[in-house]
Structures are given as structure tokens and as C-alpha cells.
Amino acid sequence: MKTTISFSALAGLAVFAGNAHALDIKLGHVLAPTHNWHVAAEGFAEDVSETTEGRVNFKIFPSGQLGNEKTMVEGMQIGSVPAGIIGCGSFQPLDPKFGIVELPYSWADRQNAYAAYDGELGDRLESLAAQYNMKILAWWENGFRHVTNNRGPIEAPEDLEGLKIRVTPDKMRLDTFNALGASPAPLSFGELYSALQQGVFDAQENPLSIIYASSFYEVQDYVSLTGHVWAPACLTVSSSTWNRLSEDDQAKVQELANTWRDKQREMTQQDDQNMIEKLEAEGMQVNEVDTAPFNEKVQSVWEEYEPVFGSELMGLVKRYRQGE
């Protein structure tokens, strides 16, 4: 007696066989699902799945579901966290040279920053990350950081005097705000809203998009456009995960990481144009800042860190910031 297998059954077997070779990659970040990191990551994941015909599937976990940035960076080193979008300053515990992304008032023009990170400066830092078993796929944008607080507008460095401000847990940021006369202290991002709500901190500093997406307008009254740091975000994959992809799929994922880098940057630029109006609508008072006195105050930070970063990296920053 002959066994007959229907066409639909064969099709089902083919789908099953294809799915058996699929690679699901958890990708975490610490920001809210409303932030453009998450929106861009979802678009990236959808395009990767479609382009690789389901062989590579990024699953996005926002709001610190895979841990804070320190935990994710440590996890990517050993392969327990497959991928993440990381504020690049969080790589400093691996190597102090990563602190160069946090150098205050490096970039007056974000286009010069894009050129640097898509060019030689990014290449040097990608090579450094590779030594710690991580593949930086693309330099997305965290953006210009500004100060919020409940005491009053920050119009001059003297207005920061004694202000207890939460900063990211890296030495560069602490040194920057110490130079500006504030009283900085680190705290994980996931604890920040409640710390502001309870008055544990008077102030914090973040890009406008994060201030809005995290609803800090509910617990802070003033936004001062200090623009003290422009920082990139690293779309990063653990090397052990990356090496599981075929060369063809690696090329496809890399191309889409670059495509969504550009889209995410556009989102950030659009957010910067819209967020002031949105924050004011939520009741925050926003003030412009003459950054020259702030820039002058942090020159001691540049001098202190030049031996740490070395002449090559510092030379690249100085070259690109002049648009060369």
C-alpha cells in the first residue's frame, strides 16, 4: 500500500525545518518602550527577520528587563546576554578609553560626531570592544544631555553649586559635574524616577527624549539646555552570538544596523525639535544656556583625561570636532 503525503503536509515540514535553524537573539535596553531606541530596535528586528527569511530574530526587551547597562555589558562579555543597546559610557569599566565618548563639550555639531563615530574614532573603539568579546554593530544616538532640577533655572555654573545631581555611574561624568561645582552621585537608571520623586536627588541629566519618555516632568520642574555631553549609543552583540551567524547573514544584519542607525538618528533630531514644546506642555520651565562658561569650567577634565585616552584618540576627537 502506497503512502501519500499531501502538498500541505510537505509545506508544513519545510516550515518546521526552516524554523529549526532560526536563531532568536534577546536584545535589551534600559529605556521605555516609547523611546526612539525601542522604536528603532523594533524596526531593525522586523527587517532583520524578513531579510534573513526568519533565520535571525531579535527579540526586544525594554525598561531594563535584561538588567541595567552594567549587567548587560558584563553579560555580553561572557555571552549570557546576547545583545543590547548601551549608552556607550557604560563600557568604561572595561577600559577607561571608552570614557572618551563622555568628554564634555566635545561636539557642538552632531554631524561632526556622526562623522567621527562612523569613521576612525568609531573604528578604534570597535576594535577595543572586540577585545572584550563584543561586536559594536552601529553607533546610534543618545544625544545631547541637559540638566533638570527642582531648585531653579541653571543659567551659569554657579547655579549648580551644591546641587545634588544623579549622574551615570562613571568617573568621567562625576568629574565633569564636580568641576562644574555640583554634588554628583551615581544611581542606576531604573531607580532614578523614584529617587527624584522622594527628593533623594535634586536634579538629573539626560537627553530631552529620555526626560520625556521617562515622565521626569512629573517630578522635576526645570529643564536647562546645558548640552554638556553629546553621546552615542552602541548597538552591540556578544561575539559568541555574532559568530553563530553565517557570513551572509552577518552582512545582512550589519547593513540593517547601519540603516536603522540613520533612522534612529533622524528620530532623535526630530525629538529634539519637538520635546521642548511637549515638556513645556507638561508644565516644565525650559531655559536656554550660554554654554561658554560651562565649557571653560570643564577644561580641567580634558587635561586630566588626555593621558588616559592617549594622543591618538584625543587627536581624532579634536580633528573631527573641527569638521576635518
Side-chain angles (χ1 to χ4, degrees):
M1 182 175 178
K2 293 182 178 180
T3 301
T4 302
I5 300 178
S6 68
F7 175 79
S8 60
L10 286 170
L13 288 171
V15 170
F16 177 80
N19 287 342
H21 298 289
L23 177 62
D24 290 341
I25 302 172
K26 291 182 178 180
L27 188 156
H29 65 83
V30 299
L31 299 183
T34 52
H35 191 271
N36 63 51
W37 280 11
H38 188 76
V39 175
E42 290 280 12
F44 166 70
E46 183 177 346
D47 283 357
V48 166
S49 183
E50 181 180 346
T51 302
T52 63
E53 299 176 336
R55 292 186 300 276
V56 183
N57 303 290
F58 284 90
K59 308 295 183 181
I60 314 303
F61 292 82
S63 304
Q65 293 179 45
L66 299 187
N68 60 30
E69 290 195 337
K70 179 177 183 291
T71 300
M72 284 192 287
V73 169
E74 290 172 348
M76 281 189 285
Q77 279 186 271
I78 62 175
S80 61
V81 174
I85 304 171
I86 305 293
C88 303
S90 292
F91 288 131
Q92 288 181 78
L94 304 180
D95 192 300
K97 286 185 171 63
F98 280 112
I100 201 162
V101 305
E102 304 283 352
L103 200 58
Y105 293 107
S106 293
W107 311 107
D109 187 333
R110 61 181 4 120
Q111 297 300 329
N112 290 350
Y114 294 163
Y117 287 102
D118 296 342
E120 291 182 63
L121 180 60
D123 289 344
R124 298 293 189 278
L125 295 175
E126 286 169 27
S127 296
L128 195 58
Q131 297 176 25
Y132 297 93
N133 302 315
M134 288 181 289
K135 167 73 173 176
I136 295 176
L137 291 176
W139 298 89
W140 289 16
E141 182 166 3
N142 202 1
F144 286 102
R145 302 178 76 92
H146 307 287
V147 173
T148 73
N149 82 106
N150 280 331
R151 194 167 74 181
I154 306 300
E155 297 174 332
E158 291 73 26
D159 296 324
L160 288 167
E161 193 70 38
L163 192 71
K164 187 169 183 184
I165 182 169
R166 177 270 177 184
V167 297
T168 52
D170 59 74
K171 188 174 183 298
M172 168 71 75
R173 194 66 52 80
L174 287 163
D175 289 345
T176 294
F177 277 92
N178 278 321
L180 290 169
S183 297
L187 184 74
S188 68
F189 185 80
E191 301 175 63
L192 178 53
Y193 182 96
S194 61
L196 294 170
Q197 187 178 42
Q198 295 164 15
V200 178
F201 285 88
D202 305 311
Q204 66 85 47
E205 45 86 44
N206 261 303
L208 296 177
S209 57
I210 293 178
I211 294 167
Y212 185 80
S214 303
S215 301
F216 290 153
Y217 51 79
E218 296 175 348
V219 290
Q220 297 273 268
D221 295 331
Y222 300 92
V223 182
S224 300
L225 302 179
T226 52
H228 48 278
V229 170
W230 181 95
C234 297
L235 177 61
T236 311
V237 178
S238 170
S239 294
S240 59
T241 298
W242 182 248
N243 292 335
R244 294 176 64 187
L245 277 62
S246 68
E247 288 188 10
D248 183 54
D249 283 343
Q250 286 180 349
K252 289 180 168 66
V253 171
Q254 181 64 70
E255 182 178 358
L256 288 169
N258 292 340
T259 297
W260 279 96
R261 170 201 66 199
D262 296 341
K263 291 182 179 182
Q264 188 270 336
R265 288 173 177 175
E266 289 172 6
M267 292 180 197
T268 301
Q269 292 174 44
Q270 192 62 48
D271 281 346
D272 276 0
Q273 294 176 20
N274 297 335
M275 285 302 157
I276 291 176
E277 184 176 327
K278 289 184 177 182
L279 291 169
E280 287 178 333
E282 294 292 349
M284 296 193 86
Q285 180 178 322
V286 182
N287 65 283
E288 297 281 349
V289 175
D290 176 7
T291 61
F294 293 82
N295 195 350
E296 184 177 347
K297 282 274 190 180
V298 300
Q299 289 310 301
S300 59
V301 179
W302 280 65
E303 293 167 6
E304 178 184 352
Y305 278 85
E306 184 151 8
V308 176
F309 302 145
S311 58
E312 182 185 16
L313 288 180
M314 288 294 286
L316 287 172
V317 169
K318 292 174 182 177
R319 195 182 89 203
Y320 279 106
R321 78 191 300 228
Q322 295 170 357
E324 296 180 8

